[in-house]
């Protein structure tokens, strides 16, 4: 019997492994499995191309339709297709909420800036993360919109969410480096995307102003001068703003209601609402008699150089 102990075939491999550094092992793992950024890190990988995404989504719908058509499950196809579109709609909405959290974090970090490198790097990280969130949200909105068109083609009905709005945000430039620029652009994009195209005309009046004849005549004159007008108003439940909203419904004029956010701003809600309305930069404001809130809107508009057209009880 040969008592000589032969070396194991993998013995030398184990020795080499033990001699390697931990960083070398980490690099090998990254090369093998690929780089995967953590949830709160910006992701350098590219987004799917729009052409590739459109083809892939069309393939999904065609495959599902082919599977269920001419079978006992064909009646369930519209519900399943609706759910697929809703899947991307909800994902975009969740990313939008993450983007709101990122905005809050950026504002907090702005206030904490003390000139140190740590604070500066943290703010830069949040900005990069915010830009990635914007791109991800826009991508999923693109997927949703592509699927909604396929849904309409397949079912003959328009896709609509069960609740909330269905909007498509404009992409922000990736060249932004200043946090305040980023936040301002995000706020502007979120506001602008909800506004129909056209000449924006703001309207304000108090709840006790019920001269519907003069209000309708005034709005008709403005519309004759600006056929593409979009009416902005404060969504008052009665009085001048309610009359203006009824006029827009009757004339098929696009309108945007700026309701005060009482939950968030308490007693300051109407004045904050005025600021938001003016941020859309209307080309003019029609003012009928009202309260101090109406006057606040008119005063702020004048300071911004926005024309104010006043209409009292006796005329303009």
């Amino acid at each position: 019997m040969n008592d000589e102990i032969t070396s194991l075939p993998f013995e030398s491999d184990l020795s080499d492994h033990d001699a390697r550094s931990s960083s070398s092992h980490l690099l090998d793992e990254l090369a093998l499995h690929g780089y995967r950024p953590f949830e709160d890190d910006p992701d350098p990988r590219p987004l799917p191309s729009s052409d590739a995404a459109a083809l892939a989504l069309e393939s999904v719908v065609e495959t599902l339709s082919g599977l269920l058509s001419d079978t006992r499950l064909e009646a369930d196809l519209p519900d399943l297709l609706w759910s697929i579109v809703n899947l991307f709609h909800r994902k975009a909405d969740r990313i939008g909420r993450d983007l709101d959290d990122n905005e809050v974090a950026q504002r907090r970090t702005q206030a904490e800036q003390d000139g140190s490198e740590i604070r500066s790097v943290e703010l830069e990280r949040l900005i990069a993360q915010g830009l990635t969130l914007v791109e991800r949200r826009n991508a999923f909105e693109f997927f949703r919109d592509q699927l909604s068109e396929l849904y309409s083609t397949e079912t003959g009905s328009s896709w609509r969410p069960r609740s909330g709005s269905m909007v498509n945000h404009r992409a922000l430039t990736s060249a932004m480096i200043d946090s305040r620029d980023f936040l301002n652009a995000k706020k502007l994009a979120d506001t602008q995307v909800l506004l129909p195209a056209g000449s924006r005309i703001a309207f304000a009046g108090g709840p006790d102003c019920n001269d519907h004849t003069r209000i309708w005549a005034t709005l008709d004159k403005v519309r004759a001068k600006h056929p593409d007008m979009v009416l902005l108003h404060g969504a008052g439940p009665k009085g001048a703003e309610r009359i203006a909203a009824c006029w827009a419904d009757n004339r098929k004029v696009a309108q945007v209601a700026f309701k005060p956010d009482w939950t968030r701003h308490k007693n300051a809600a109407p004045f904050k609402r005025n600021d938001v309305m003016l941020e859309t930069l209307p080309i003019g404001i029609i003012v009928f008699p009202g309260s101090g809130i109406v006057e606040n809107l008119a005063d702020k508009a004048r300071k911004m150089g926005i024309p104010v057209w006043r209409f009292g009880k006796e005329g303009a």
Side-chain angles (χ1 to χ4, degrees):
M1 182 175 179
N2 188 359
D3 294 332
E4 182 181 358
I5 300 176
T6 60
S7 61
L8 296 173
F10 50 82
E11 185 177 7
S12 59
D13 294 338
L14 289 175
S15 300
D16 292 342
H17 182 273
D18 293 338
R20 291 163 58 198
S21 67
S22 58
S23 59
S24 176
H25 174 68
L26 177 59
L27 291 174
D28 286 347
E29 289 293 309
L30 289 173
L32 177 63
H33 300 291
Y35 171 71
R36 295 293 184 272
F38 293 102
E39 182 179 352
D40 58 348
D41 287 338
D43 193 336
R45 294 173 294 175
L47 294 169
S49 70
S50 57
D51 291 339
L55 289 174
L57 296 173
E58 184 176 357
S59 176
V60 169
V61 173
E62 287 182 351
T63 301
L64 186 60
S65 178
L67 176 65
L68 302 185
S69 295
D70 299 325
T71 72
R72 199 177 304 170
L73 303 180
E74 185 172 6
D76 298 307
L77 180 60
D79 286 342
L80 293 175
L81 293 178
W82 187 94
S83 298
I84 292 175
V85 184
N86 192 55
L87 178 69
F88 288 90
H89 176 67
R90 292 181 60 188
K91 180 61 177 178
D93 187 57
R94 286 195 295 270
I95 295 176
R97 290 196 293 270
D98 292 339
L99 188 56
D100 291 337
D101 294 339
N102 176 269
E103 177 182 352
V104 173
Q106 283 196 45
R107 293 191 185 280
R108 184 188 66 249
T109 307
Q110 284 178 7
E112 295 173 350
Q113 290 298 303
D114 55 7
S116 66
E117 183 178 358
I118 294 178
R119 298 295 186 187
S120 177
V121 169
E122 173 65 12
L123 183 56
E124 290 175 0
R125 185 189 67 81
L126 288 171
I127 295 170
Q129 181 186 1
L131 291 171
T132 297
L133 287 170
V134 168
E135 292 172 345
R136 289 175 58 206
R137 179 196 62 185
N138 293 346
F140 280 105
E141 287 181 348
F142 172 81
F143 297 158
R144 178 205 60 198
D145 293 345
Q146 289 290 310
L147 283 168
S148 67
E149 292 180 6
L150 295 170
Y151 172 88
S152 299
T153 301
E154 194 70 31
T155 66
S157 302
S158 298
W159 189 90
R160 290 290 182 271
R162 298 253 163 87
S163 62
S165 301
M166 178 179 171
V167 298
N168 197 319
H169 294 80
R170 299 173 182 175
L172 299 178
T173 172
S174 59
M176 288 182 193
I177 56 173
D178 183 75
S179 179
R180 289 177 176 82
D181 289 343
F182 173 86
L183 296 176
N184 290 335
K186 174 185 177 295
K187 185 176 182 180
L188 179 61
D190 289 346
T191 302
Q192 297 285 345
V193 75
L194 297 173
L195 288 175
S199 302
R200 298 165 193 164
I201 308 292
F203 180 95
D208 297 327
C209 179
N210 294 302
D211 192 350
H212 64 276
T213 302
R214 284 185 49 75
I215 293 174
W216 277 51
T218 300
L219 291 171
D220 280 337
K221 290 180 180 178
V222 175
R223 186 189 178 206
K225 188 175 181 180
H226 303 282
D228 64 338
M229 75 174 288
V230 176
L231 183 68
L232 316 179
H233 59 81
K238 61 181 181 178
E241 292 177 353
R242 177 58 182 165
I243 294 170
C246 291
W247 172 88
D249 287 336
N250 183 270
R251 298 291 195 261
K252 308 300 184 206
V253 170
Q255 58 178 309
V256 181
F258 290 80
K259 297 181 180 180
D261 189 346
W262 298 100
T263 302
R264 183 178 181 183
H265 299 300
K266 304 297 188 288
N267 294 336
F271 303 101
K272 295 290 187 181
R273 182 272 316 279
N274 287 350
D275 295 337
V276 174
M277 186 184 296
L278 292 174
E279 285 175 0
T280 66
L281 298 178
I283 65 173
I285 297 181
I286 300 171
V287 176
F288 273 79
S291 63
I293 297 170
V294 174
E295 294 303 318
N296 172 266
L297 179 66
D299 291 342
K300 289 179 177 177
R302 276 193 295 265
K303 291 178 181 178
M304 294 176 64
I306 298 174
V308 177
W309 306 315
R310 283 189 173 274
F311 294 86
K313 294 181 180 181
E314 301 300 329

